[in-house]
Amino acid sequence: MEPGDAARLGPGRAARALPTRLLLMPLLPLLLGRGLRGAAAASSSGAAAEDSSAMEELATEKEAEESHRQDSVSLLTFILLLTLTILTIWLFKHRRVRFLHETGLAMIYGLIVGVILRYGTTATSGHDKSLSCTQEDRAFSTLLVNVSGKFFEYTLKGEISPGKVNSVEQNDMLRKVTFDPEVFFNILLPPIIFHAGYSLKKRHFFRNLGSILAYAFLGTAVSCFIIGNLMYGVVKLMKIVGQLSDKFYYTDCLFFGAIISATDPVTVLAIFNELHADVDLYALLFGESVLNDAVAIVLSSSIVAYQPAGLNTHAFDAAAFFKSVGIFLGIFSGSFTMGAVTGVVTALVTKFTKLHCFPLLETALFFLMSWSTFLLAEACGFTGVVAVLFCGITQAHYTYNNLSVESRSRTKQLFEVLHFLAENFIFSYMGLALFTFQKHVFSPVFIIGAFVAIFLGRAAHIYPLSFFLNLGRRHKIGWNFQHMMMFSGLRGAMAFALAIRDTASYARQMMFTTTLLIVFFTVWIIGGGTTPMLSWLNIRVGVDPDQDPPPNNDSFQVLQGDGSDSARGNRTKQESAWLFRLWYSFDHNYLKPILTHSGPPLTTTLPAWCGLLAQCLTSPQVYENQEPLREEDSDFILTEGDLTLTFGDSTVTANGSSGSHTASMSLEGGRRMKSSSEEVLERDLGMGDQKVSSRGTRLVFPLEDSVRLPAQSPE
């Protein structure tokens, strides 16, 4: 309204018109102010939200970067530990130091790094608060938490006892070096177990197969139940004196007996190999430890599966007991079958393809098929340790013969390196875990009781079984061997891996801590005393691994073929497990020709009506060679000559320049029946005489007076 408009409207109309606009004018600043403030508030709120979101993203990126850095540092720590261990091992070998094995050295370095990480680093994170979920009656593996409209995922790490809520680890670095137990089972254990089967000293292993099976199966079961029952008495004593703060059942004691019965005499065997100790003693210890690991893991799984009916799930129930026995047999047989089938499939693939023309592809396929055996068995509910062990034995027996020369060397070296690194990694982690693991339960009574129970369990395992085995053995297990086997019951990687796999309950945490201390003691003390014990027990060293054992354990005897000694030796028979002799003929005549390029042609062993199938399955290389192909692996079981040609009742083995050649002869009244295999023997002994002499090999021939060695005289 202009000033002149009021005069034209008149006094009344002007008075009525003025308030409408004049009264609004004082309100304009107020209305405009509110509008501006509202817009400004909305604008500032949006900006604040954007700034907050940007800050959260920045913090998340920094946290991820810090986590990546800590992961790199933790892995670098273990790599440096292994590097330092390797350099120290070289120094020890250079100085010929045998009182400490490489595994014990790795544990010492792990202990040192564990102390530094525990007491030399500060806390880098914290817990804000504890959330209570009183309405839930169980723990969830994954939680989605709504925080101001944003959902965050949390995973279950494990149960924490009420007394340790405020002492939960605040150091991110210590958390990083604490590995998931599945890492040990899926990544570190497969190469260790496979290498044990792939590098098995098969000739001596199968010669003592019956004794090895008895020690591994029956002995492990005896040791498990003796240790379990003794530890149950220790637990009852702890409850009486008030040192047991939580539940500890009889099945827990049996589980501890199973996992601690897994022997791993890696230190003793390494010294045996270096000193060339008695091959039969080496075979007994190595064979027992290999199969013993498989039995222990299946036995522990069967004990966990023991679930009696009724309210008391820890009482004895006959039905549940026999169900556990059935589970044990089912898991072991299924795992064995799966490992053997995988090895057979690999052998067929390498035989009927031209992979040997591409050694890199051949080695890669061999590696993947072998490793997948472990994962396949675990995925099917079986035990990967058993499967990969027998896969290794099958691969060495069949697939190895089909590989090219390059692939043979590559596969052996590859798994040897992986075995070395994985084993030393585990022992380094053992030393580290003593200070970085957060769920230790130290109980002096339980620890002392465990040492006593292990000693008694090992004694009940070795001495009674050796007594009964000697009743049927021609080459007896002497007292010095028995004492050495008793002394060599070290615990190692398998016991540790089984103990760390489940540390949720109070009982399992106490078992893990005790197992760790037992491994430390056996590796350091018993492993370090191996060399003095060999000397004290008068066990022979410097033995050629291809040499047959003497008639007794006390000395070398070279029979000259004169007097009553040779006549008595003529009636002796080389030790060989009867179980092995039962299936070897079938394996030699049928399985080897089907799965490999060696053995007799199937056209000569299969019935005539199978002629077409025999021609399809027989390798062309069999027809191209005048004699069956021989394995270049000198540790192979036996070859054709071991069955067909003998000196009386004894078998003679000779190593030729082309590989492991075996030949023999049949004697009738001191006369030798000539054969093509005999000529091979004479040629090999004649050509390799200097080589055998340089290696210090002495052959034991229980022959008649008129028979002399071909190397000495042709006739």
Side-chain angles (χ1 to χ4, degrees):
M1 179 180 293
E2 298 296 334
D5 293 340
R8 290 193 298 268
L9 290 175
R13 294 179 64 186
R16 288 192 297 270
L18 283 172
T20 304
R21 299 182 64 179
L22 293 175
L23 292 174
L24 288 175
M25 291 181 69
L27 297 176
L28 287 176
L30 180 61
L31 295 174
L32 291 173
R34 288 184 177 179
L36 292 173
R37 285 195 297 271
S43 177
S44 62
S45 176
E50 293 179 359
D51 293 342
S52 177
S53 177
M55 292 296 293
E56 289 180 1
E57 292 180 359
L58 184 60
T60 303
E61 292 178 359
K62 288 185 177 180
E63 184 177 353
E65 183 179 353
E66 180 65 19
S67 177
H68 172 72
R69 187 187 66 83
Q70 292 176 353
D71 288 336
S72 301
V73 172
S74 63
L75 292 177
L76 179 62
T77 300
F78 285 102
I79 290 177
L80 292 178
L81 277 175
L82 293 177
T83 304
L84 186 60
T85 302
I86 291 173
L87 293 176
T88 312
I89 290 170
W90 168 82
L91 181 62
F92 278 23
K93 289 183 178 295
H94 181 67
R95 299 294 183 181
R96 295 185 179 181
V97 177
R98 296 192 181 99
F99 68 88
L100 184 62
H101 187 250
E102 59 199 41
T103 53
L105 192 64
M107 294 171 67
I108 292 177
Y109 287 144
L111 282 172
I112 296 173
V113 175
V115 171
I116 295 174
L117 291 177
R118 162 59 58 188
Y119 302 107
T121 58
T122 58
T124 57
S125 66
H127 299 276
D128 294 331
K129 60 183 301 186
S130 299
L131 299 178
S132 178
C133 300
T134 56
Q135 296 180 353
E136 303 295 338
D137 57 353
R138 65 184 182 89
F140 297 93
S141 59
T142 304
L143 285 179
L144 293 178
V145 181
N146 187 351
V147 180
S148 301
K150 296 182 179 180
F151 290 89
F152 298 89
E153 181 181 5
Y154 293 85
T155 57
L156 179 67
K157 297 293 290 184
E159 183 182 0
I160 302 173
S161 60
K164 295 185 177 181
V165 172
N166 296 325
S167 60
V168 176
E169 184 54 59
Q170 304 289 309
N171 195 321
D172 286 338
M173 189 60 203
L174 293 183
R175 290 185 191 172
K176 295 294 183 181
V177 297
T178 303
F179 286 95
D180 189 332
E182 294 303 317
V183 172
F184 293 98
F185 267 80
N186 295 330
I187 298 178
L188 298 178
L189 277 184
I192 295 176
I193 303 300
F194 181 85
H195 178 264
Y198 194 52
S199 62
L200 198 64
K201 302 291 185 182
K202 302 173 190 64
R203 179 168 175 261
H204 301 285
F205 176 85
F206 283 101
R207 188 167 60 193
N208 297 278
L209 182 61
S211 302
I212 291 173
L213 291 177
Y215 285 127
F217 283 86
L218 186 58
T220 303
V222 169
S223 176
C224 169
F225 283 98
I226 288 179
I227 294 175
N229 284 279
L230 290 176
M231 294 312 299
Y232 187 65
V234 173
V235 168
K236 289 294 185 182
L237 177 63
M238 293 173 60
K239 188 175 182 180
I240 293 175
V241 299
Q243 292 192 8
L244 195 66
S245 59
D246 208 338
K247 298 178 181 179
F248 208 119
Y249 298 105
Y250 178 69
T251 51
D252 294 326
C253 296
L254 287 180
F255 180 81
F256 178 73
I259 65 174
I260 208 64
S261 295
T263 60
D264 186 15
V266 57
T267 304
V268 176
L269 293 177
I271 295 176
F272 279 13
N273 190 42
E274 184 178 354
L275 297 178
H276 300 289
D278 189 282
V279 289
D280 280 330
L281 177 60
Y282 183 94
L284 288 172
L285 274 175
F286 183 77
E288 181 208 359
S289 66
V290 168
L291 295 179
N292 165 272
D293 288 346
V295 174
I297 190 171
V298 179
L299 191 60
S300 62
S301 300
S302 303
I303 293 173
V304 171
Y306 177 79
Q307 294 180 348
L311 297 178
N312 189 359
T313 58
H314 295 277
F316 178 78
D317 187 349
F321 172 77
F322 287 108
K323 180 181 177 181
S324 296
V325 174
I327 291 174
F328 173 86
L329 297 176
I331 292 178
F332 196 93
S333 59
S335 303
F336 166 79
T337 303
M338 187 166 292
V341 168
T342 307
V344 167
V345 170
T346 310
L348 291 174
V349 171
T350 54
K351 177 182 178 180
F352 292 104
T353 61
K354 298 292 184 179
L355 276 174
H356 64 273
C357 299
F358 306 95
L360 179 61
L361 300 181
E362 191 178 38
T363 304
L365 178 67
F366 184 92
F367 174 81
L368 294 177
M369 291 291 290
S370 302
W371 200 304
S372 64
T373 305
F374 183 92
L375 301 177
L376 180 62
E378 292 289 335
C380 294
F382 297 108
T383 300
V385 170
V386 179
V388 79
L389 170 64
F390 287 100
C391 176
I393 296 175
T394 307
Q395 300 278 44
H397 190 44
Y398 298 113
T399 311
Y400 182 85
N401 303 314
N402 301 332
L403 300 178
S404 62
V405 177
E406 295 86 347
S407 295
R408 292 183 185 185
S409 177
R410 285 177 179 177
T411 53
K412 280 191 171 293
Q413 292 177 1
L414 173 63
F415 281 101
E416 185 177 5
V417 171
L418 290 177
H419 163 264
F420 173 81
L421 293 177
E423 189 170 59
N424 281 278
F425 184 94
I426 290 179
F427 279 93
S428 297
Y429 185 79
M430 288 184 196
L432 200 69
L434 187 62
F435 292 96
T436 60
F437 189 73
Q438 290 300 298
K439 300 177 181 179
H440 284 304
V441 177
F442 291 93
S443 174
V445 176
F446 191 87
I447 293 171
I448 295 175
F451 275 99
V452 175
I454 289 172
F455 178 82
L456 296 178
R458 184 69 178 173
H461 169 183
I462 296 298
Y463 295 115
L465 277 180
S466 300
F467 172 77
F468 289 109
L469 288 173
N470 281 335
L471 297 179
R473 285 178 60 100
R474 292 178 175 84
H475 186 64
K476 307 299 182 183
I477 303 175
W479 284 106
N480 55 348
F481 277 24
Q482 297 179 38
H483 296 328
M484 194 67 214
M485 294 180 68
M486 170 68 189
F487 179 80
S488 303
L490 285 75
R491 271 61 178 179
M494 180 58 67
F496 174 79
L498 290 173
I500 200 176
R501 197 172 192 181
D502 182 8
T503 56
S505 64
Y506 169 82
R508 299 295 175 88
Q509 293 167 7
M510 186 182 296
M511 293 180 203
F512 173 73
T513 303
T514 305
T515 302
L516 198 59
L517 295 178
I518 290 172
V519 172
F520 286 161
F521 178 83
T522 55
V523 171
W524 288 340
I525 305 302
I526 297 180
T530 300
T531 304
M533 185 62 68
L534 284 173
S535 176
W536 185 61
L537 293 176
N538 295 321
I539 294 177
R540 57 182 188 151
V541 296
V543 179
D544 187 348
D546 294 326
Q547 179 179 331
D548 290 330
N552 56 62
N553 293 333
D554 296 331
S555 63
F556 252 152
Q557 294 187 7
V558 181
L559 303 182
Q560 301 295 335
D562 53 355
S564 60
D565 290 340
S566 64
R568 183 172 59 254
N570 190 35
R571 295 190 295 268
T572 63
K573 185 176 182 180
Q574 181 180 355
E575 193 82 25
S576 183
W578 64 270
L579 184 62
F580 169 65
R581 295 197 303 270
L582 288 179
W583 72 268
Y584 181 76
S585 178
F586 175 78
D587 173 71
H588 176 76
N589 293 327
Y590 301 104
L591 294 182
K592 291 291 288 298
I594 292 175
L595 300 177
T596 69
H597 299 298
S598 61
L602 290 173
T603 53
T604 63
T605 58
L606 288 176
W609 56 271
C610 297
L612 181 60
L613 179 63
Q615 291 179 3
C616 295
L617 294 179
T618 302
S619 174
Q621 286 88 330
V622 175
Y623 299 103
E624 296 172 0
N625 291 275
Q626 295 296 325
E627 61 183 65
L629 297 180
R630 308 294 186 176
E631 290 77 17
E632 294 184 4
D633 183 6
S634 60
D635 296 331
F636 200 70
I637 302 174
L638 290 169
T639 49
E640 182 184 13
D642 289 311
L643 293 180
T644 58
L645 299 167
T646 57
F647 283 106
D649 290 330
S650 298
T651 300
V652 180
T653 300
N655 292 328
S657 59
S658 61
S660 179
H661 292 265
T662 304
S664 50
M665 325 176 185
S666 296
L667 297 179
E668 292 182 6
R671 294 180 305 169
R672 294 185 297 171
M673 304 297 295
K674 290 290 183 179
S675 65
S676 60
S677 298
E678 179 183 350
E679 295 173 357
V680 173
L681 173 64
E682 293 180 354
R683 182 177 66 252
D684 288 344
L685 285 178
M687 293 173 61
D689 185 35
Q690 183 177 0
K691 177 180 178 181
V692 170
S693 177
S694 64
R695 293 177 58 189
T697 304
R698 288 176 285 182
L699 300 178
V700 181
F701 285 12
L703 308 179
E704 299 291 343
D705 293 352
S706 59
V707 179
R708 290 177 294 178
L709 295 180
Q712 298 172 347
S713 175
E715 289 293 333

